[in-house]
């Protein structure tokens, strides 16, 4: 008798029996796979403290690494923390597992903590067949990632010998806000420098394989006010390196070459060693010996530490001994020119929030005609007139027209430039707004008389002569 001819109750019973058999098989298979899985995995516990209650440095590294994994951000639940710098981080909950992958192997981290959080640990789970291949490289990977995270979080400090009674390093927090993004310079050049710095950070093993010390040096040169010092600060913030400011003339005159070497040895890894206005020192051979500078740049003492970036600034490299500029002493040269129209647009975007303006063609024309200002001078004009973009641009045009002719001009208690190009200022009254390009203190006195007359509404008639060496523009 076939199942088709069986009574209905017997067929149902047979179907149930088959289903039960399948269920028993699946349960058995699941138990086998679970046992097999447990048997084929290795577990490594990373406790927060050892048996002597001493901190385990690896735990801190693992904690930072696990918090950086993308899988914890994608999890249904995680603990959110912030520090004093308002930086946020995620941490797993007790008994929560966070998954990771490395070199084609699947790994997982499980966080364990007692009820009072006095005993915490992470447990790494990895397949036994993968452990010999990936365990050590994985731990090195964790160390590199956690070091990078810690480097970004740490406070940058500025070291100087100024004011130190014993001539040794003393430090203060480095709070300069400049970043590579905010520095006004050619975008392609900016990207190349950024890429070069990133390549330096990632190539320790490459330098060692070549038998070279892991350090790099830059020369930033160009006229005063073109942003060299700001770019040094931006480099420090990008690298997250401490800054050591070397005043060569003061150091060498105080203690000679040996004192300079002692200070160089006293610098730490992950530091930016800065010598500003190097050409000024080299032009005074009675104060600074050339061989001393050469030894400082690439002598045996300069190679006693790693992960350092040396930065030298100059106004001009024209009269500098070629031995100073050769590769090895200076690896990369970065020129900072006076402001051009492209740099002006970048400054106007940063300072005034402008992407375009109807006066831009006039600004470009004045630049093309040979007008020149430093980015610092343009920036000061934009800051002083930030309340009115049109007025700021007109003032820049005026200053460009008289660049290199006038001394500092001070109107209304504000000084635009010290010893720079022609100063232009906008003086606002309740009923009159004027833009004037003036030159020299005599003109200033006459302008004050003129504005005094305007303020009194013309109640008194007075003939005023305003000597102006350049054109007078009123808007």
């Amino acid at each position: 008798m076939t199942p088709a001819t069986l009574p209905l109750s017997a067929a149902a019973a047979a179907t149930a029996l088959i289903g039960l058999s399948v269920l028993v098989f699946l349960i058995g298979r699941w138990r086998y796979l679970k046992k097999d899985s447990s048997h084929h995995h290795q577990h490594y516990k990373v406790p927060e403290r050892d048996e002597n209650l001493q901190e385990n440095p690896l735990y801190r590294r693992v904690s930072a690494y696990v918090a950086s994994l993308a899988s914890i951000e994608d999890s249904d639940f995680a603990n959110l923390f912030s520090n004093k710098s308002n930086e946020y981080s995620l941490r797993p909950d007790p008994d929560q597992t966070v998954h990771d992958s490395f070199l084609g192997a699947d790994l997982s981290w499980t966080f364990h903590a007692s009820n009072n959080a006095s005993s915490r640990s992470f447990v790494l789970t990895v397949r036994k067949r993968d452990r010999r291949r990936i365990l050590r490289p994985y731990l090195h990977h964790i160390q590199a990632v956690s070091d990078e995270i810690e480097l970004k979080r740490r406070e940058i400090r500025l070291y100087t010998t100024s004011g130190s009674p014993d001539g040794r390093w003393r430090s203060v927090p480095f709070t300069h806000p400049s970043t590579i993004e905010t520095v006004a310079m050619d975008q392609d050049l900016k990207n190349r420098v950024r890429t070069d710095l990133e390549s330096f950070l990632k190539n320790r093993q490459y330098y060692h394989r070549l038998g070279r010390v892991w350090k790099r040096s830059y020369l930033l040169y160009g006229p005063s006010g073109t942003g060299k010092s700001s770019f040094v600060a931006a480099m420090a913030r990008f690298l997250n390196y401490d800054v050591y400011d070397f005043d060569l003339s003061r150091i060498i005159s105080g203690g000679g070459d040996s004192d300079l070497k002692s200070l160089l040895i006293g610098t730490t890894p992950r530091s930016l060693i800065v010598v500003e206005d190097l050409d000024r020192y080299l032009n005074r051979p009675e104060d600074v010996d050339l061989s001393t500078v050469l030894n400082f740049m690439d002598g045996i003492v300069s190679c006693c530490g790693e992960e350092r970036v040396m930065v030298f600034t100059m106004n001009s490299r024209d009269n500098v001994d070629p031995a100073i500029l050769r590769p090895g002493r200076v690896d990369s040269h970065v020129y900072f020119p006076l402001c051009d129209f492209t740099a002006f647009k970048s400054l106007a975007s940063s300072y005034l929030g402008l992407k375009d303006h109807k006066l831009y063609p006039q600004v470009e024309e004045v630049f093309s005609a040979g007008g020149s200002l430093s980015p610092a001078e343009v920036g000061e004009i934009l800051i002083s007139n930030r309340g009115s973009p049109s007025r700021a641009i007109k003032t820049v045009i005026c200053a460009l027209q008289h660049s290199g002719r006038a001394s500092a001009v001070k109107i209304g208690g504000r000084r635009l430039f010290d010893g720079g190009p022609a100063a232009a200022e906008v003086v606002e009254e309740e009923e009159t707004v004027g833009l004037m390009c003036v030159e020299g203190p005599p003109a200033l006195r006459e302008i004050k008389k003129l504005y005094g007359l305007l303020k009194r509404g013309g109640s008194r008639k007075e003939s005023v002569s305003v000597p102006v060496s350049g054109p007078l523009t009123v808007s």
Side-chain angles (χ1 to χ4, degrees):
M1 183 178 292
T2 64
T5 61
L6 286 174
L8 182 60
S9 59
T15 302
L17 182 61
I18 294 173
L20 181 61
S21 299
V22 172
L23 180 61
V24 171
F25 172 78
L26 292 176
I27 292 175
R29 182 63 178 171
W30 175 78
R31 294 181 64 183
Y32 171 79
L33 290 175
K34 183 177 180 182
K35 181 179 180 180
D36 180 71
S37 175
S38 175
H39 177 72
H40 286 84
H41 281 80
Q42 182 73 38
H43 305 279
Y44 298 92
K45 184 178 181 180
V46 183
E48 183 179 17
R49 299 184 181 279
D50 61 17
E51 61 276 7
N52 298 320
L53 299 181
Q54 297 296 317
E55 181 185 9
N56 178 10
L58 181 58
Y59 175 88
R60 177 170 47 83
R61 295 180 183 275
V62 169
S63 179
Y65 175 77
V66 171
S68 70
L69 293 176
S71 56
I72 194 172
E73 295 184 12
D74 298 333
S75 61
D76 295 333
F77 182 86
N79 296 294
L80 185 61
F81 293 88
S82 67
N83 57 20
K84 294 181 180 179
S85 302
N86 291 326
E87 295 176 344
Y88 297 95
S89 62
L90 293 171
R91 299 181 193 173
D93 212 38
D95 300 323
Q96 182 178 354
T97 298
V98 180
H99 298 280
D100 192 17
S101 62
F102 182 75
L103 297 179
D106 294 327
L107 311 97
S108 64
W109 289 99
T110 304
F111 178 59
H112 296 290
S114 61
N115 292 333
N116 58 5
S118 60
S119 177
R120 299 182 295 184
S121 64
F122 282 94
V123 175
L124 170 64
T125 301
V126 57
R127 286 184 178 274
K128 288 185 177 180
R129 68 186 183 190
D130 295 327
R131 61 178 179 176
R132 290 184 180 276
R133 178 175 64 91
I134 64 105
L135 183 59
R136 288 187 179 275
Y138 186 56
L139 293 176
H140 288 310
H141 171 67
I142 291 173
Q143 179 177 349
V145 172
S146 62
D147 283 349
E148 183 178 352
I149 294 172
E150 182 178 354
L151 183 63
K152 291 180 179 179
R153 291 177 178 174
R154 78 185 184 97
E155 178 187 57
I156 304 176
R157 300 193 69 82
L158 170 64
Y159 289 82
T160 177
T161 58
S162 177
S164 176
D166 56 358
R168 301 293 92 185
W169 293 119
R170 57 187 300 181
S171 69
V172 295
F174 186 77
T175 57
H176 199 295
S178 180
T179 65
I180 290 182
E181 288 71 24
T182 61
V183 173
M185 64 185 300
D186 180 75
Q187 189 61 44
D188 290 339
L189 177 60
K190 185 187 299 187
N191 292 337
R192 289 201 298 271
V193 175
R194 182 192 289 110
T195 301
D196 191 67
L197 291 172
E198 290 173 343
S199 176
F200 168 76
L201 289 174
K202 298 175 182 178
N203 282 286
R204 177 178 184 175
Q205 297 302 325
Y206 176 74
Y207 275 80
H208 286 183
R209 182 165 61 83
L210 296 177
R212 297 187 58 172
V213 178
W214 188 26
K215 71 183 184 73
R216 193 151 181 81
S217 56
Y218 295 83
L219 172 64
L220 313 182
Y221 68 102
S224 298
T226 51
K228 299 185 294 294
S229 296
S230 295
F231 195 73
V232 171
M235 292 174 71
R237 291 182 64 84
F238 179 81
L239 296 167
N240 214 38
Y241 280 9
D242 290 328
V243 179
Y244 286 83
D245 181 26
F246 278 78
D247 183 348
L248 290 185
S249 61
R250 183 175 182 274
I251 294 171
I252 295 177
S253 63
D257 183 45
S258 60
D259 193 39
L260 180 61
K261 292 179 179 178
S262 176
L263 288 173
L264 189 57
I265 292 175
T267 61
T268 60
R270 296 177 178 173
S271 60
L272 200 70
I273 296 172
V274 181
V275 178
E276 295 192 279
D277 300 323
L278 180 59
D279 52 336
R280 177 167 57 89
Y281 299 133
L282 297 175
N283 291 331
R284 298 202 313 248
E286 67 280 3
D287 295 333
V288 178
D289 182 61
L290 178 61
S291 63
T292 298
V293 176
L294 297 178
N295 289 331
F296 172 81
M297 296 177 74
D298 72 339
I300 191 66
V301 174
S302 70
C303 301
C304 292
E306 285 203 310
E307 200 171 357
R308 290 186 173 97
V309 173
M310 304 185 78
V311 182
F312 307 94
T313 71
M314 295 182 184
N315 287 339
S316 173
R317 60 178 184 176
D318 293 341
N319 299 319
V320 175
D321 193 312
I324 293 285
L325 305 177
R326 71 161 176 81
R329 293 196 175 105
V330 176
D331 301 314
S332 182
H333 297 234
V334 183
Y335 176 60
F336 286 75
L338 290 172
C339 189
D340 59 11
F341 181 61
T342 300
F344 165 78
K345 289 192 295 183
S346 176
L347 289 169
S349 176
S350 299
Y351 285 71
L352 304 176
L354 291 178
K355 298 302 180 183
D356 198 4
H357 195 277
K358 62 182 180 180
L359 293 175
Y360 274 11
Q362 297 183 36
V363 178
E364 185 175 13
E365 182 180 352
V366 178
F367 272 116
S368 300
S372 63
L373 292 173
S374 70
E377 292 166 333
V378 173
E380 178 58 29
I381 293 176
L382 299 182
I383 290 176
S384 300
N385 299 281
R386 60 187 179 274
S388 173
S390 296
R391 185 179 65 218
I393 296 175
K394 292 174 183 177
T395 309
V396 170
I397 293 173
C398 180
L400 285 169
Q401 290 173 341
H402 293 275
S403 57
R405 300 179 188 175
S407 59
V409 174
K410 190 176 181 183
I411 296 179
R414 292 186 295 172
R415 178 177 292 274
L416 266 79
F417 310 117
D418 282 322
E425 179 61 83
V426 176
V427 180
E428 293 189 67
E429 299 295 342
E430 294 180 359
E431 300 177 356
T432 305
V433 178
L435 171 66
M436 292 193 175
C437 300
V438 298
E439 181 175 357
L444 176 60
R445 291 193 294 269
E446 300 299 335
I447 288 175
K448 288 184 176 179
K449 292 180 181 180
L450 175 59
Y451 287 122
L453 177 62
L454 293 174
K455 189 174 182 180
R456 290 191 294 271
S459 58
R460 293 177 54 191
K461 303 295 182 179
E462 183 175 354
S463 176
V464 181
S465 174
V466 183
V468 182
S469 60
L472 175 65
T473 305
V474 180
S475 61

